[in-house]
């Protein structure tokens, strides 16, 4: 499963694995893929440095990358407190009413929310990059499209390729014009923020739109046969995120959430603005239903919604309130039926890829 892009980056397989968990990212690289650590959950640069130190010790010199969240346009002088002040009281009341309906207790006195939206703030992302550029990362990905031009230049000065997610050919061409090196064509099936176009349609359109830039296919991919399909559509690799959530190395810290993922089918996800204010595919729960209910106040735009629900999500996770407990995940969740190691996932990907190639060769009479 090697392509020109994976060879350039020093990975055995053209499987790029996005994950918020350092242990998973390191295991992906050790298994022959390319681990990409998500930085959005790191509010403090020191915490990111600690985990990158750990990655250095556990990747055996193999390549890995970092995923940040940065808007292309900079907004000066806006603090988290400024954004908090924009949240209507009616929405705060709705949060508390929804939690009370399900008996979710408050956090113990002195305990703060473990899920914050600070990683979405540009100044936080820039502090993360100040740390990251001291490490030998090979790829910098941005989940909100093209990062600011100075960040692209800085990455290139360090010999780091820059990737950006795109949900349409128009977005992809914009990234190409911004000097992006790798386009991640993320289809409708994907977990987290995603657009309206399905992966099967989106991937070849993006490949044509940005030729000769390398493209990674993303969204609904979790088997070796699907990897082969992505490469057949012109991609130089695949970008996998959801499939790692139920691996042994993942740090979900919620047995109940893991059981919900293992039991979920492909129709048990929904694109909802409940998490961040932008459409993001996630498990459908009574929490997402509450925010999609026309009788409710509706969601706020990013980043207001993320700040609004941060404390609530921490409480739901801490007390494992089953009807409300969810996570971003793609439609591939229907095939995530057992807990496996990252290496076992790669073994299955390899076998499925070989089966697909053999099948095509037989059809072609080879």
């Amino acid at each position: 499963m090697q392509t020109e892009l994976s060879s350039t980056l020093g990975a055995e397989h053209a499987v790029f694995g996005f994950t918020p968990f350092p242990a998973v990212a390191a295991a992906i690289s050790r298994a022959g893929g390319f681990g990409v650590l998500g930085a959005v959950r790191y509010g403090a640069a020191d915490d990111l440095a600690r985990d990158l130190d750990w990655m250095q010790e556990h990747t055996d010199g193999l390549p890995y990358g970092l995923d940040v969240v940065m808007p292309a346009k900079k907004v000066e002088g806006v603090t988290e407190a400024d954004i908090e002040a924009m949240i209507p009281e009616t929405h705060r009341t709705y949060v508390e009413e929804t939690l009370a309906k399900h008996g979710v207790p408050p956090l113990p006195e002195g305990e703060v929310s473990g899920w914050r939206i600070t990683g979405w703030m540009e100044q936080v992302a820039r502090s993360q990059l100040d740390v990251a550029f001291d490490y030998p990362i090979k790829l910098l990905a941005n989940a909100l499209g093209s990062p600011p031009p100075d960040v692209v230049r800085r990455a290139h000065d360090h010999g780091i390729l820059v990737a950006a997610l795109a949900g349409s050919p128009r977005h992809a061409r914009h990234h190409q014009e911004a000097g992006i090196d790798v386009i991640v064509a993320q289809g409708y099936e994907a977990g987290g923020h995603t657009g309206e176009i399905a992966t099967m349609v989106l991937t070849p359109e993006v490949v044509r739109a940005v030729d000769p830039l390398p493209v990674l296919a993303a969204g609904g991919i979790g088997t070796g046969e699907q990897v082969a399909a992505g490469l057949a559509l012109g991609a130089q690799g695949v970008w996998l995120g959801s499939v790692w959530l139920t691996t042994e190395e993942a740090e979900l810290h919620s047995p109940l959430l893991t059981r919900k993922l293992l039991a979920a089918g492909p129709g048990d996800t929904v694109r909802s603005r409940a998490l961040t204010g932008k459409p993001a595919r996630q498990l459908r729960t009574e929490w997402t239903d509450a925010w999609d209910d026309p009788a409710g106040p509706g969601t706020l735009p990013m980043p207001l919604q993320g700040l609004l629900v941060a404390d609530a999500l921490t409480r739901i996770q801490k007390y494992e309130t089953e009807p409300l407990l969810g996570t971003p995940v793609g439609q591939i969740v229907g095939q995530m039926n057992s807990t496996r190691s990252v290496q076992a996932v790669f073994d299955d990907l390899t076998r499925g890829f070989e089966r697909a190639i053999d099948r095509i060769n037989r059809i072609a009479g080879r």
Side-chain angles (χ1 to χ4, degrees):
M1 296 188 291
Q2 193 169 67
T3 65
E4 182 180 351
L5 178 61
S6 62
S7 297
T8 297
L9 290 169
E12 180 183 357
H13 300 303
V15 175
F16 294 72
F18 164 80
T19 173
F21 308 124
V24 176
I28 290 169
S29 292
R30 292 198 306 272
F34 190 96
V36 181
L37 178 64
V40 71
R41 70 190 184 105
Y42 295 96
D46 289 346
D47 293 337
L48 177 60
R50 177 203 63 215
D51 281 357
L52 288 176
D53 284 338
W54 188 94
M55 289 276 293
Q56 278 294 102
E57 296 172 5
H58 293 85
T59 48
D60 300 337
L62 295 164
Y64 63 91
L66 190 72
D67 180 280
V68 296
V69 178
M70 296 188 74
K73 296 181 180 179
K74 186 173 183 178
V75 180
E76 299 282 358
V78 178
T79 66
E80 185 175 337
D82 294 331
I83 297 173
E84 285 268 16
M86 301 177 190
I87 297 174
E89 196 60 37
T90 52
H91 283 71
R92 297 188 188 277
T93 300
Y94 188 68
V95 168
E96 290 304 322
E97 289 176 346
T98 304
L99 295 176
K101 177 181 176 182
H102 293 275
V104 184
L107 293 175
E109 186 174 352
E111 185 172 333
V112 297
S113 169
W115 192 95
R116 298 300 289 169
I117 203 71
T118 50
W120 300 92
M121 307 287 287
E122 182 183 354
Q123 60 266 36
V124 175
R126 285 184 177 276
S127 70
Q128 293 168 348
L129 292 177
D130 289 339
V131 168
F133 286 140
D134 288 334
Y135 293 82
I137 62 173
K138 300 296 184 183
L139 181 74
L140 175 66
N142 188 41
L144 279 185
S146 303
D150 68 295
V151 171
V152 176
R153 289 193 298 270
R154 191 176 175 192
H156 287 165
D157 288 344
H158 283 81
I160 298 168
L161 296 183
V162 180
L165 275 65
S168 73
R170 178 176 60 84
H171 293 156
R173 284 190 289 269
H174 174 77
H175 297 337
Q176 184 179 37
E177 294 165 1
I180 302 303
D181 305 293
V182 180
I183 310 297
V184 182
Q186 180 164 277
Y188 174 82
E189 306 94 324
H193 295 121
T194 184
E196 302 280 355
I197 307 173
T199 305
M200 182 67 73
V201 174
L202 178 65
T203 302
E205 289 198 5
V206 170
V207 169
R208 287 193 295 271
V210 300
D211 184 60
L213 284 188
V215 172
L216 300 178
I221 301 173
T223 70
E225 288 85 353
Q226 290 168 317
V227 175
L231 299 186
L233 292 172
Q236 284 206 30
V238 293
W239 179 275
L240 277 60
S242 297
V243 72
W244 314 113
L245 289 173
T246 53
T247 57
E248 294 170 356
E249 294 88 346
E251 304 161 36
L252 283 181
H253 302 303
S254 173
L256 176 57
L257 180 55
T258 298
R259 290 197 297 272
K260 289 187 72 171
L261 288 168
L262 294 175
D268 292 329
T269 68
V270 63
R271 285 174 76 244
S272 171
R273 298 177 183 269
L275 185 64
T276 67
K278 284 184 175 290
R281 186 171 297 284
Q282 54 204 282
L283 276 182
R284 182 173 182 176
T285 66
E286 292 190 29
W287 178 257
T288 62
D289 287 348
W291 286 103
D292 294 336
D293 187 347
T299 56
L300 298 169
M302 180 187 280
L304 300 182
Q305 182 71 15
L307 282 173
L308 169 67
V309 304
D311 181 77
L313 294 178
T314 298
R315 290 161 62 183
I316 291 167
Q317 293 166 4
K318 179 180 179 66
Y319 299 111
E320 291 198 303
T321 309
E322 196 277 338
L324 304 179
L325 187 63
T327 184
V329 69
Q331 292 179 333
I332 194 64
V333 70
Q335 297 191 49
M336 294 158 50
N337 300 318
S338 63
T339 300
R340 300 173 290 169
S341 67
V342 168
Q343 183 61 61
V345 172
F346 265 89
D347 292 342
D348 288 344
L349 289 172
T350 302
R351 286 191 290 266
F353 183 82
E354 291 173 348
R355 285 193 300 268
I357 298 302
D358 288 344
R359 188 179 303 120
I360 295 300
N361 283 337
R362 287 197 303 273
I363 293 171
R366 296 177 182 174

